[in-house]
Amino acid sequence: MQRKTISVIGARACGPKVAKLAQAVGRMVAELDCILVCGGLAGVMQEACRGAKEAGGLTIGLLPGNEKSDANPFVDIALPTTIGFSRNVIVAASAHIVIALPGSYGTESEICYALVYGRPVINLGGWKVKGMIKAKGVEDARRIVKKLIKK
Amino acid sequence: MQRKTISVIGARACGPKVAKLAQAVGRMVAELDCILVCGGLAGVMQEACRGAKEAGGLTIGLLPGNEKSDANPFVDIALPTTIGFSRNVIVAASAHIVIALPGSYGTESEICYALVYGRPVINLGGWKVKGMIKAKGVEDARRIVKKLIKK
Amino acid sequence: MQRKTISVIGARACGPKVAKLAQAVGRMVAELDCILVCGGLAGVMQEACRGAKEAGGLTIGLLPGNEKSDANPFVDIALPTTIGFSRNVIVAASAHIVIALPGSYGTESEICYALVYGRPVINLGGWKVKGMIKAKGVEDARRIVKKLIKK
Amino acid sequence: MQRKTISVIGARACGPKVAKLAQAVGRMVAELDCILVCGGLAGVMQEACRGAKEAGGLTIGLLPGNEKSDANPFVDIALPTTIGFSRNVIVAASAHIVIALPGSYGTESEICYALVYGRPVINLGGWKVKGMIKAKGVEDARRIVKKLIKK
């Protein structure tokens, strides 16, 4: 039976507050026995992977370039895509559920693609894009994820 | 010497008001001797191509699928990309300038990618994405395009 | 520490002889504690995944379309890429080592991309493409993989 | 009515003999009133574009990177795709007909993709891939192209 995957998206650089949030989201993903998918680089991606590893989870990094060594140290399975930031489409589409933390244009492109391809997107980043599912915090996001993965 | 290209982006379906706007934008692109690039399908894409052809311009459609016949009837050069809506990245990056009309998630993904890849994006669609260049109408957009292509 | 990944590539349909070979290759990948990556569909991909699962391994399917349900039943982690057969590039580049079984144009495109992006490609399919590493059978391939993953 | 497009593919570096062949192919494409599509870089791509421009044709370069300035000087319309050598898929699929000159793995990936996506591929490069249409020289290729574009 297929494993459930959750993509965690957000900025390549983040301050301590967002880092803490990303770690908590990563832990939650692992605790729910889901696989964490991300873009494999630094910032939100790295902190989410760190959290997932702390909770014994498995992490996948879909890298823009050609080198496995581009991945952050908490990525278990580094998948170099070679297609540049077009890999954002795959980060979005390859998950059952997307969780969006604060980020910039790249993150927003992932949100848009998730919605184009019909993936539920949980909003933990103050995003204004219509069609997302607003969560008040990590525990609220956990509740939403639990409901969605039961389907 | 390379020809200047302008990508016109917007919804796959549009009412008469947006259609008229798209046609005027397409005419403007052709009048400035630029090549119109778009996603090749219906709605804003078709109306922009129609306008460009009325003004004697050349139009390129970057199609998501594998069939040249998917293109709207005003596309001169149909380029099937076969990569689905990932082709939005190429619509964004393949132009010197992007002009954004009203649209949905697909259009927004193109705006984000244009900004990721450093293309100026003229806002004719009431978009709230930061970093775009607001134009009051087609004549204002023409003035902005003229300045940008001189560089 | 990153897990080692091996992509197994080959035709979407195969007879009993190639199926048996693919199963043996899949088992070998799992026995060497590597993760099996493939295109996620039927034929060689399915039989390799079946073999890997028999040996307790983990399998990833990089699907061309948008639906996780397109994956064969032995895929643990289904990653819909939405980019059509362009996903072949990612099947090739996302692995430390590629093992090529008999196949057609799609498989050959993966061999070429693996070589473009500098991945070693083990030839178990009678391929004539230059630059591949010929293996006489599964045990010979196992020996080659062991050497390559030590590096 | 859509313009006919022909993709000319081959190595990024070439000697004088292949350069001359590429120029002749480029001229032929333009003389048949077709648009020349290529990967936009040096070698066979540049010489084919040079030939097409000598004969008054129009040339399109689908570039792997993000910079229009990567194009060879005979490209009229530079389209940066940003997706790396995955753009080979688009070079193959965006044409009515593909003409293959001598090349390496990248060219072979394009031949394979053209065949995957059902484009006729004319063999002017001594390729051994099954399913191609062998031409004895440029005049033979011209005859084949003429027949194919009538359909």
Side-chain angles (χ1 to χ4, degrees):
Chain A
M1 219 184 68
Q2 281 185 26
R3 301 285 305 273
K4 296 286 179 185
T5 59
I6 295 182
S7 287
V8 180
I9 62 177
R12 266 175 290 174
C14 64
K17 200 177 150 183
V18 171
K20 217 174 150 183
L21 178 64
Q23 289 161 21
V25 169
R27 273 194 303 272
M28 181 259 279
V29 168
E31 286 160 6
L32 293 175
D33 202 30
C34 294
I35 291 173
L36 188 143
V37 174
C38 71
L41 300 178
V44 165
M45 298 170 261
Q46 175 161 328
E47 299 311 318
C49 288
R50 187 195 304 267
K53 292 311 298 172
E54 280 170 12
L58 188 73
T59 59
I60 294 178
L62 288 157
L63 299 162
N66 184 35
E67 301 298 335
K68 296 224 177 203
S69 56
D70 292 344
N72 74 60
F74 305 100
V75 166
D76 294 312
I77 306 173
L79 303 176
T81 66
T82 77
I83 63 171
F85 294 114
S86 301
R87 73 81 155 82
N88 292 3
V89 182
I90 305 179
V91 173
S94 63
H96 288 94
I97 300 164
V98 176
I99 303 180
L101 275 72
S104 184
Y105 302 131
T107 308
E108 190 165 347
S109 75
E110 289 168 324
I111 293 169
C112 293
Y113 270 113
L115 295 166
V116 163
Y117 284 112
R119 302 297 183 273
V121 188
I122 297 175
N123 188 348
L124 271 175
W127 293 97
K128 306 287 181 204
V129 182
K130 274 182 207 169
M132 300 174 76
I133 303 165
K134 197 180 156 62
K136 285 164 211 157
V138 178
E139 288 317 304
D140 197 30
R142 184 190 304 264
R143 193 185 49 78
I144 297 166
V145 168
K146 273 184 176 175
K147 268 196 195 169
L148 288 168
I149 58 179
K150 260 190 207 153
K151 284 183 192 171
Chain B
M1 220 185 65
Q2 280 184 28
R3 301 285 306 274
K4 297 284 180 186
T5 58
I6 294 180
S7 286
V8 180
I9 62 177
R12 266 175 290 174
C14 64
K17 202 178 150 183
V18 172
K20 217 175 151 183
L21 178 65
Q23 289 162 22
V25 168
R27 274 194 302 273
M28 181 260 278
V29 168
E31 286 161 5
L32 294 174
D33 203 29
C34 294
I35 290 173
L36 188 143
V37 174
C38 70
L41 301 179
V44 164
M45 299 170 261
Q46 174 161 330
E47 298 313 317
C49 288
R50 188 196 303 266
K53 293 311 298 172
E54 280 171 13
L58 188 72
T59 59
I60 294 179
L62 287 157
L63 298 163
N66 184 33
E67 301 298 335
K68 296 224 177 204
S69 55
D70 293 341
N72 74 59
F74 305 100
V75 166
D76 293 313
I77 305 174
L79 302 176
T81 67
T82 76
I83 62 171
F85 294 115
S86 301
R87 72 81 154 84
N88 291 3
V89 182
I90 306 179
V91 173
S94 63
H96 288 92
I97 300 163
V98 175
I99 304 179
L101 276 70
S104 184
Y105 301 130
T107 308
E108 191 165 345
S109 75
E110 289 169 324
I111 293 169
C112 292
Y113 271 113
L115 295 166
V116 164
Y117 284 112
R119 303 296 184 273
V121 188
I122 298 174
N123 189 348
L124 272 175
W127 293 96
K128 306 288 180 204
V129 183
K130 274 182 206 171
M132 300 175 74
I133 304 164
K134 198 181 155 65
K136 285 165 213 158
V138 177
E139 288 317 303
D140 196 30
R142 184 191 303 262
R143 192 185 51 77
I144 298 165
V145 169
K146 273 184 174 175
K147 270 196 193 170
L148 288 168
I149 57 180
K150 260 189 206 156
K151 287 185 191 172
Chain C
M1 221 185 64
Q2 280 184 28
R3 301 285 306 273
K4 297 286 180 185
T5 58
I6 295 181
S7 286
V8 180
I9 62 176
R12 265 175 291 175
C14 63
K17 202 178 149 183
V18 172
K20 217 175 150 183
L21 178 65
Q23 289 161 21
V25 169
R27 275 194 301 273
M28 181 259 280
V29 168
E31 286 160 5
L32 294 175
D33 202 30
C34 295
I35 290 173
L36 188 144
V37 174
C38 71
L41 301 179
V44 164
M45 299 170 262
Q46 174 161 330
E47 299 312 317
C49 288
R50 187 197 304 265
K53 293 311 296 172
E54 279 171 13
L58 188 73
T59 59
I60 295 179
L62 288 158
L63 300 163
N66 184 35
E67 300 298 336
K68 296 226 177 202
S69 55
D70 292 342
N72 74 61
F74 306 100
V75 167
D76 293 312
I77 306 173
L79 302 175
T81 67
T82 77
I83 62 171
F85 295 114
S86 301
R87 73 80 155 84
N88 291 3
V89 182
I90 305 179
V91 172
S94 63
H96 288 93
I97 300 164
V98 175
I99 303 180
L101 276 71
S104 185
Y105 301 130
T107 308
E108 191 165 346
S109 75
E110 289 169 323
I111 294 169
C112 293
Y113 271 113
L115 295 166
V116 163
Y117 283 112
R119 302 298 183 272
V121 188
I122 297 174
N123 188 347
L124 272 175
W127 294 97
K128 305 289 182 205
V129 183
K130 274 182 206 169
M132 300 175 76
I133 303 165
K134 195 179 157 64
K136 285 165 211 157
V138 177
E139 288 318 304
D140 196 31
R142 184 191 304 262
R143 192 185 50 78
I144 298 166
V145 168
K146 274 183 174 176
K147 269 196 192 169
L148 288 168
I149 58 180
K150 262 191 207 155
K151 286 185 190 170
Chain D
M1 220 185 67
Q2 281 185 26
R3 300 285 305 273
K4 296 285 180 185
T5 59
I6 295 181
S7 285
V8 180
I9 62 177
R12 265 175 291 172
C14 64
K17 202 177 149 183
V18 171
K20 218 174 149 184
L21 178 64
Q23 289 161 21
V25 168
R27 275 193 302 273
M28 180 260 279
V29 168
E31 286 161 5
L32 293 175
D33 203 29
C34 295
I35 291 173
L36 188 144
V37 174
C38 71
L41 300 178
V44 164
M45 298 169 261
Q46 173 161 330
E47 299 312 317
C49 288
R50 188 197 303 268
K53 293 311 299 172
E54 280 171 14
L58 188 72
T59 60
I60 295 179
L62 288 157
L63 299 162
N66 184 36
E67 301 298 335
K68 296 222 177 206
S69 55
D70 292 342
N72 74 60
F74 306 100
V75 166
D76 294 313
I77 306 174
L79 302 175
T81 66
T82 77
I83 62 171
F85 295 114
S86 301
R87 72 83 154 82
N88 291 4
V89 182
I90 306 179
V91 172
S94 64
H96 287 93
I97 300 163
V98 175
I99 304 180
L101 276 71
S104 185
Y105 301 130
T107 308
E108 191 164 344
S109 75
E110 290 169 324
I111 293 169
C112 293
Y113 271 113
L115 294 166
V116 164
Y117 285 113
R119 302 298 183 271
V121 188
I122 297 174
N123 189 349
L124 271 175
W127 293 96
K128 304 290 181 202
V129 183
K130 273 181 207 171
M132 300 175 74
I133 303 165
K134 196 180 157 60
K136 284 165 213 159
V138 177
E139 288 317 305
D140 197 30
R142 183 191 304 264
R143 193 186 48 79
I144 298 166
V145 169
K146 274 184 176 174
K147 269 197 194 168
L148 288 168
I149 58 180
K150 261 190 206 154
K151 284 182 193 173

